[in-house]
Amino acid sequence: LKEARSAFEKVRPHGWRDAEAAYVKNPELVREAGAGRVNRIVLALQLETEIRTGMDTDPGRRADRFVERWQKLDRTGREQYQAGDMSGYKSTRLAMSDMAKSLERDPQLESLLANRKHELGINVDSGRRLGAELAFSHGIGKGRGIGI
């Protein structure tokens, strides 16, 4: 473990701390990273780095970055689906799901994004919380028919 941490430190300062924090929050990432699917772990590392360094303290900037990431993942997912890359598509959809769930832990960001629903691909207001609405409107959440 010490050798792995040292190697990680050379590539990305404090990266091993960020990775371990991300793995603790979402143990499923370990399996994905081990299988070579690194999209979600890269996003998780970026998020942990931002949390650790306090980079995104400006709420407006955080909202902008969330929208940019969401739109990029949405485009990537559509491209992967059209290309028939189902494992990449599923990984991208899981990253989007993680982002939607992250809003539950960040009410300030959720509040800021409420006015930017159209940019996030939400065209109808259902009265759900934004994270649940994002997941539902993009087909990554649980709809009414889950038990049917």
Side-chain angles (χ1 to χ4, degrees):
L1 185 58
K2 277 187 174 184
E3 288 176 25
R5 285 178 174 163
S6 293
F8 206 154
E9 187 72 23
K10 290 176 186 172
V11 175
R12 181 183 176 125
H14 305 288
W16 66 269
R17 288 182 183 90
D18 298 337
E20 288 181 10
Y23 292 143
V24 166
K25 290 179 183 174
N26 191 350
E28 184 180 297
L29 292 172
V30 175
R31 197 173 311 112
E32 287 184 30
R37 296 187 313 264
V38 296
N39 291 350
R40 288 180 62 206
I41 189 61
V42 169
L43 287 172
L45 280 171
Q46 289 172 342
L47 179 62
E48 290 302 323
T49 301
E50 289 171 9
I51 291 169
R52 179 177 46 80
T53 60
M55 270 177 27
D56 270 348
T57 54
D58 176 28
R61 186 165 173 254
R62 286 178 44 233
D64 291 342
R65 291 192 54 161
F66 186 96
V67 170
E68 286 173 26
R69 282 185 193 155
W70 184 267
Q71 290 174 342
K72 182 179 179 188
L73 285 171
D74 190 39
R75 274 191 308 277
T76 301
R78 278 187 269 133
E79 291 167 3
Q80 290 168 326
Y81 185 80
Q82 290 172 351
D85 178 8
M86 288 301 125
S87 68
Y89 174 72
K90 287 179 183 176
S91 180
T92 300
R93 303 295 281 183
L94 283 171
M96 290 175 76
S97 177
D98 290 346
M99 285 182 70
K101 288 177 189 172
S102 74
L103 292 176
E104 295 172 9
R105 298 181 303 275
D106 195 344
Q108 181 184 32
L109 181 59
E110 184 175 30
S111 174
L112 289 169
L113 292 170
N115 296 328
R116 300 177 73 172
K117 287 181 179 182
H118 186 70
E119 292 175 72
L120 296 168
I122 299 172
N123 298 318
V124 178
D125 188 10
S126 68
R128 292 183 182 97
R129 292 185 57 109
L130 182 62
E133 185 62 41
L134 272 173
F136 181 77
S137 66
H138 288 277
I140 52 180
K142 297 175 180 151
R144 289 182 56 169
I146 192 162
I148 296 176

